[in-house]
Amino acid sequence: AALGDRSENAEYIYGKKRLRQIDSRMGYLSRKVRDVEVVDLDQQEPSDHVRFGALVRVEDEDGVEKQWRLVDKDESAPKQGRISVQSPIGMALLNRRVGDVVEVKLPRGNVELEILQIRYGADDKSDDG
């Protein structure tokens, strides 16, 4: 009341808007926590197809090899070798096999990647497979 009429009070209007944003974010996070399913990488059944949790080694057209673990967007950390299954590369790799070549549209242009290896399990260091 000390700040005057609420309909003309910018701080009040901004505060209500911010509260709506916080409530919306809380709803999103509550649904995310409720629907989360923990994946034990050591308990995953091996597959010849790329799927969530796979550790995939690829080679680009320049002969550069990279290795990524496919994770959810909230766990994505490309510099640590974890990419989202929702990312362009992640979506291109899903359901593919060793030897497949996929074309990915990236901001820097199209890139071809050949799948060299697919592994499952928590051991990121092992190169056998």
Side-chain angles (χ1 to χ4, degrees):
L3 297 174
D5 185 6
R6 288 185 190 176
S7 65
E8 297 173 7
N9 185 331
E11 287 183 39
Y12 176 77
I13 293 168
Y14 175 76
K16 283 191 67 143
K17 180 180 177 184
R18 184 73 181 123
L19 183 58
R20 283 193 302 274
Q21 292 171 335
I22 292 169
D23 285 343
S24 175
R25 182 71 176 158
M26 288 293 295
Y28 167 78
L29 293 173
S30 294
R31 287 188 302 279
K32 189 82 171 167
V33 168
R34 183 185 64 232
D35 297 337
V36 74
E37 180 179 334
V38 176
V39 175
D40 184 346
L41 296 175
D42 287 325
Q43 299 299 317
Q44 273 191 303
E45 291 293 322
S47 173
D48 61 347
H49 288 83
V50 177
R51 48 178 218 236
F52 183 87
L55 189 61
V56 184
R57 189 165 49 97
V58 299
E59 181 178 23
D60 67 18
E61 59 260 2
D62 297 326
V64 177
E65 289 188 17
K66 295 183 180 178
Q67 181 171 273
W68 295 298
R69 169 87 58 196
L70 293 182
V71 298
D72 186 60
K73 65 183 176 184
D74 295 326
E75 300 173 286
S76 180
K79 289 182 181 178
Q80 284 78 45
R82 295 188 312 269
I83 62 169
S84 166
V85 292
Q86 294 94 347
S87 71
I89 294 173
M91 289 189 297
L93 293 174
L94 280 177
N95 299 314
R96 301 302 184 114
R97 297 174 179 215
V98 171
D100 286 353
V101 176
V102 297
E103 187 172 328
V104 184
K105 291 182 183 182
L106 298 175
R108 65 173 189 238
N110 291 353
V111 176
E112 284 189 355
L113 301 171
E114 179 181 0
I115 299 175
L116 302 177
Q117 185 180 46
I118 303 167
R119 292 197 323 262
Y120 291 91
D123 183 13
D124 293 353
K125 307 276 189 256
S126 169
D127 245 0
D128 54 69

